[in-house]
Amino acid sequence: MTFTIQGVNRMDHTLTKLIENALAEDLGPGDVTSEATIPANSTSTAFMLAKEDLVLAGLDVSGAVFHYLDPDIQFLPLAKDGDRIHAGTEIAKLSGNTRVLLAGERVALNLLQHMSGIATLTAHYVALLNGLNTRVLDTRKTLPGLRHLEKYAVRVGGGQNHRFGLYDGVLIKDNHIAASGGITQAVEAARKKAHHLLKIEVETRTLDEVREALAAKAEIIMLDNMPIDMMGEAVKLINHEAFVEASGNVTLQTVRAIAETGVDFISSGSLTHSAPAADISMKIK
Amino acid sequence: MTFTIQGVNRMDHTLTKLIENALAEDLGPGDVTSEATIPANSTSTAFMLAKEDLVLAGLDVSGAVFHYLDPDIQFLPLAKDGDRIHAGTEIAKLSGNTRVLLAGERVALNLLQHMSGIATLTAHYVALLNGLNTRVLDTRKTLPGLRHLEKYAVRVGGGQNHRFGLYDGVLIKDNHIAASGGITQAVEAARKKAHHLLKIEVETRTLDEVREALAAKAEIIMLDNMPIDMMGEAVKLINHEAFVEASGNVTLQTVRAIAETGVDFISSGSLTHSAPAADISMKIK
Amino acid sequence: MTFTIQGVNRMDHTLTKLIENALAEDLGPGDVTSEATIPANSTSTAFMLAKEDLVLAGLDVSGAVFHYLDPDIQFLPLAKDGDRIHAGTEIAKLSGNTRVLLAGERVALNLLQHMSGIATLTAHYVALLNGLNTRVLDTRKTLPGLRHLEKYAVRVGGGQNHRFGLYDGVLIKDNHIAASGGITQAVEAARKKAHHLLKIEVETRTLDEVREALAAKAEIIMLDNMPIDMMGEAVKLINHEAFVEASGNVTLQTVRAIAETGVDFISSGSLTHSAPAADISMKIK
Amino acid sequence: MTFTIQGVNRMDHTLTKLIENALAEDLGPGDVTSEATIPANSTSTAFMLAKEDLVLAGLDVSGAVFHYLDPDIQFLPLAKDGDRIHAGTEIAKLSGNTRVLLAGERVALNLLQHMSGIATLTAHYVALLNGLNTRVLDTRKTLPGLRHLEKYAVRVGGGQNHRFGLYDGVLIKDNHIAASGGITQAVEAARKKAHHLLKIEVETRTLDEVREALAAKAEIIMLDNMPIDMMGEAVKLINHEAFVEASGNVTLQTVRAIAETGVDFISSGSLTHSAPAADISMKIK
Amino acid sequence: MTFTIQGVNRMDHTLTKLIENALAEDLGPGDVTSEATIPANSTSTAFMLAKEDLVLAGLDVSGAVFHYLDPDIQFLPLAKDGDRIHAGTEIAKLSGNTRVLLAGERVALNLLQHMSGIATLTAHYVALLNGLNTRVLDTRKTLPGLRHLEKYAVRVGGGQNHRFGLYDGVLIKDNHIAASGGITQAVEAARKKAHHLLKIEVETRTLDEVREALAAKAEIIMLDNMPIDMMGEAVKLINHEAFVEASGNVTLQTVRAIAETGVDFISSGSLTHSAPAADISMKIK
Amino acid sequence: MTFTIQGVNRMDHTLTKLIENALAEDLGPGDVTSEATIPANSTSTAFMLAKEDLVLAGLDVSGAVFHYLDPDIQFLPLAKDGDRIHAGTEIAKLSGNTRVLLAGERVALNLLQHMSGIATLTAHYVALLNGLNTRVLDTRKTLPGLRHLEKYAVRVGGGQNHRFGLYDGVLIKDNHIAASGGITQAVEAARKKAHHLLKIEVETRTLDEVREALAAKAEIIMLDNMPIDMMGEAVKLINHEAFVEASGNVTLQTVRAIAETGVDFISSGSLTHSAPAADISMKIK
């Protein structure tokens, strides 16, 4: 199996566990209907079909579900992750044991529909920023166990990833500031304790906080839930001495205006926690 | 910890694994920001707050996240699953080690927002059927690893569960029918092979198929993607000799009209795969 | 590896874990005797041999043990599950690395002897019902971790499976009845709460209970530990309006008489919890 | 929980995994019957009851099943492992949540009945050797995953354990002898390679082999499937220069005669692989 | 249990698995010696004793070993991690079940001796830099499964941690440079692909490479295996526009001279892969 | 993969888990540097190179790391475990995907350097006993999770293994003696409880204890921390009626003198807990 999310084949291992758990959840001790009605050696050909326009993400993952069940299943991709697919397009051809095709169908589609849903929504956001330098970022607002697949789908849709977790980036929020006695002290503490390859981002809500973060030499300044006017002022204040990330109240309606303030990044949890599933089905011929 | 989904405490164990994985995904080798800026023995009080109207689901689950991290965290529910919550309402009070509160915040909210999103959407569907006997059902279109929590949230929202997986109910679809040589043969085969405590449901697309399923004594007949008129005829044909389930093209716009045909059940994948997250935040005071 | 219990290859995974644990239990950090006395590259041919008459079950499972240890082992079945084997018959030929053959021998035989023991005992029960429509059922009285293999062996021996666990069938017993306030109420509660693809079975001990279960439209009525005469009356009372299952005091001596009352099913825990191991050995040539 | 098999509490961990798997197998996603018919907060008292004469083994283990499900269950032993119990005796009193009592009942009894069956059968063998010095040993013919519990039950019944696996004792069989070029060479090789705390046992089938094993200074000599007369001669030949273990054709009918030849140990797989379950039930009052 | 490495109690979980595996490795199916010679209810008091001068690290970890085996063991620390301990000092008092004390002794000491060995060696390096601003860093040259404990021991000894793995920092080495077509291109690629909270370090071997890394605005420049003179020149060239890390040929003999060139960090694998175990024993009184 | 430590391929499984954990520790969610700078389809050739004289151990293990990541990596050994390697010698050639080579490099080398370090140190000890019959033994002083690899490395270096854990040999120490009431009683108890394939070793500190252990017919007598003169006397006293093992104060300086007393075995924890890593690197060409 050649699927890799970020990097080498080892990622297959994490993916394999996820697939194993998902199949255990759906199959339990076995598919009683197929066992009873379909001969053990029956073979079929099936197609995955887009039922609405979408940006495809997760095709290899869905193939991996069938591969896990039975390496003899032929899974022939007719498109690839990142493709813009029109309703009615066949996106994969499968052939092999009929019981296996039916056993894997639901889990494979559940993953593919969720990931394509995220990629499709992300692409909508990205398209709205056409011509600007602002990048769309995801957040840590992901579904338990699915973060890496969801963040991969965001990249497929043209977005960028924020940090992967609490461990690979310093993001100082109000509670950290309060506990440290101020932005200056919090940045200083982070500079001293975190290892030397991690940058420091500070969340701000007022222009005074922006000034203090800037003075403390934060490498990234987040503007959290600021009115658009204030964002514009903050961008001017910061004047490219730090990266600027806008966060809060990001919708398809507001994203362009936010970007036009000149922020470098706009992050939104909705990319991952509220993207509706893309409509994809599987038909056995 | 007293959380149970369906039945006894053993479910805690499955839940514990899910929480463990979700925290591993988010925390990795540690929260570098809090480590650097918050004293190890700092304690705080926090509140979970609804930021929009919602039906609450998953409060015990979110409490279990903190309990897993540190049994000394006090998690005081200010509402309970199933409650209709208004924007601005505090739904839980937490107190304990500040680092722990921040370490659990995101995972707890990710679960709570997803589950409450499902319960809220389900409740909308249920409300639209007010005065009718038709029940709203979920499907197997769930997110990998989250099926039991999602199906619980559907129940909290007033819906009913369909079978949990391929193992606890016989649902004969077109592929099974084709492989068996017809509806009659497929039902017969299932009756013979599946154990005697499982009922048999048959998916139909035409009135002829409905007639054949009825003749074969299927206990439940699914009307799949039928026009509403045809559904009405099917209901008359079946005449309470089997349960009737409608499936396909179910939206908030169509659900009432479908129910008024007299079907017993309406099932929809959107309850679980496309419910937007409910907006809930956690604030440390 | 092509072994499947009920359904697709995914079951291999559960089986693989069982084999892995069994080998870990037996091999621990290594086979000190073979390490010391048998060259690492020694190869041999071996035969599995029935030492008494038996119904074979588990041959693929025992092959899977060797496959797990070393995919290069050749495991050639000379018979198949369900075959009636006479004492002295060779049932499989193995060839490959000698240390591997010895490392897998005990675990493979332990499984094969247990499963064949169950199939053989089941076949005895089934043979005693020759000419009748009554079917022999297993129960949940299985050995921890081995339920699926044991229930498979029952099928191989000609029996049928009862529900697999507490999750895929409703069986209302005295405690449920007492807690609900009566058979009628218990059946009603189950009808409302359990999903619509599960049938309801009620355990009864008197003819009055049978009448009440029938009135409540239970789909299956269990006659628990009833005298044979009473069973006969119950069967008449029920008159094919529900399935009838006899349970309790089932032995090779009583099973025919019980069946002749006209019950549909007879269930017995002894099939799985008290079947003596079939005598099978492995000889290296 | 205070159950230990051999040694410290760590064994609890292995036991916990076994219990966890057994409950997952039986409960799956939940007990649909109890969920529907028994209120979540219902409490009950129950008794475990011997329904035939038996030697009790596994009472703590069965208590651990309930403890795993719910630490609030009160499990009061009314007897202890090793006790000879008469039919009709109550052996434990349980009280707590009714759903939990029903959820754990089957798994707890499956373990208790199997272990007590082994202890009871072992005790029969031991009783037949009354007045002799010969000890009854188990073998590696155990059920996958249950070896430690089964070997514990053998000890409870008055038997002794043979080695636990291939890793903690050297037992040279015909294949090892053939591969090494003779008993002498095989013993020598084992003496050199196995670590210095392991003794060496040699399996023999003729008096010549016994003589060679003795000359090679094997610490234990196994007499495999020898006629009783030959065993007597072997015992004389060996003359206490090595321990003597008899194996093969050991039944309740033959065991006394075998022992009277003067062998030190008699080993039999039937103790673990063919002991019928002891009849024990649980009744809720 | 209150042990945390980096952050919240969740780390206990990772630690618990490590302890569980280590005990399984050492105890296997049980401690045959203690089982035979020490009564199950025997209790004792024991002391951990330093047998040479050392910097203590891992005391809580070693306590966690006993806690895992038996929560009733009293583990009273008589010193704390980071303390400089003289030979002959008692560092912990334990009391509880004797078998448990002996079962945990070896695993607890193996961890404590290894971690204290690392802390002690690190402290030697740190002491040699007295009065300078240069910090001692560890590397990824750690023992599989022990990285977090080893990196914790480095911090206890006064060192700092480098990145934890390949995932939380960008370190561009010769192979990355070759594949990208040069330092400039490699830094650019990393800036574009890695998320915005990660800094970029470049490994250099010549002053030309240092100049190119500086021009590419690498945030950290590693001087790999450079002669000391060249390091001095590199430090001047860089002139505080990037952090400077020296690596290669770092020994107790060379570390001071390297630091005096003015580098910010010196990293050495020997801290973790070659620190001899500190001599600590446990005595039962 | 053909690597076996002690016995059959099953050991691969344990090794696979260790490799999986080690890679998870190092790679986490991915290698951000290689992802950014090296094309996904780039391929390279690399060499592992000894940078000092060493005895090689773990080459197959290090190959298994790459095999785990990607079975398409070609790993060509240019030497084999047990070879004495001179500085500058290439010991393996690797070719395949560049990202995979870099992803596996550190874990493979960490294992190889540690194991070769142990083999090299063991070989030094063994060389010092040239011409004598005394054998060098390891102990249970190993690093958690690495015992089997470390004990394998000791064998590769020419040493022998002591028991693998507390489960496969009886070693009676002072605490066991105290609890039993004396050496005689402790040996008797062990003889009765431990199974009949385990020998009994007794730790002694005085000649009186040696005499008592000898009288109790201990099969091995350990001389613990005795002065060399006393060891000589003990060896004479024992006079080949038991094996003699010397322990304590074993260094490269003392080992020859200890051996010359005539002891059969000398055991030392330093072989495994204090062997410095052998210097080995990997270079991509």
Side-chain angles (χ1 to χ4, degrees), chain C residues 20 23-24 27-31 35 40-42 65-73 96-104, chain F residues 1-17 64 67:
Chain C
E20 186 176 307
L23 286 168
L27 278 174
D31 176 351
E35 285 298 302
N41 59 358
S42 161
V65 172
F66 294 99
H67 180 86
Y68 177 89
L69 282 168
D70 180 356
D72 291 337
I73 292 287
N97 185 284
T98 311
R99 286 186 184 178
V100 174
L101 291 174
L102 293 170
Chain F
M1 180 168 40
T2 62
F3 175 76
T4 60
I5 300 174
Q6 190 187 28
V8 295
N9 294 26
R10 193 198 60 80
M11 296 307 295
D12 282 355
H13 176 69
T14 306
L15 181 62
T16 297
K17 292 224 168 149
H67 181 85

Side-chain angles (χ1 to χ4, degrees), chain D residues 113-134:
Chain D
Q113 292 183 250
H114 182 56
M115 292 173 71
S116 295
I118 290 172
T120 302
L121 181 58
T122 302
H124 287 176
Y125 276 100
V126 170
L128 289 167
L129 303 192
N130 190 22
L132 303 177
N133 285 324
T134 308

Side-chain angles (χ1 to χ4, degrees), chain B residues 20 50 76 80 86 110 142 159 174 189 210 237 243 245 260 280:
Chain B
E20 184 175 309
L76 179 69
K80 65 179 189 308
H86 291 289
N110 285 347
T142 58
D174 48 358
V210 169
L237 260 175
F243 287 114
E245 173 182 344
E260 287 174 344
I280 302 172

Side-chain angles (χ1 to χ4, degrees), chain E residues 143-162:
Chain E
L143 288 169
L146 302 173
R147 181 169 292 174
H148 291 292
L149 293 180
E150 294 181 344
K151 281 184 168 265
Y152 165 79
V154 166
R155 293 198 300 276
V156 168
Q160 276 197 347
N161 295 144
H162 207 298

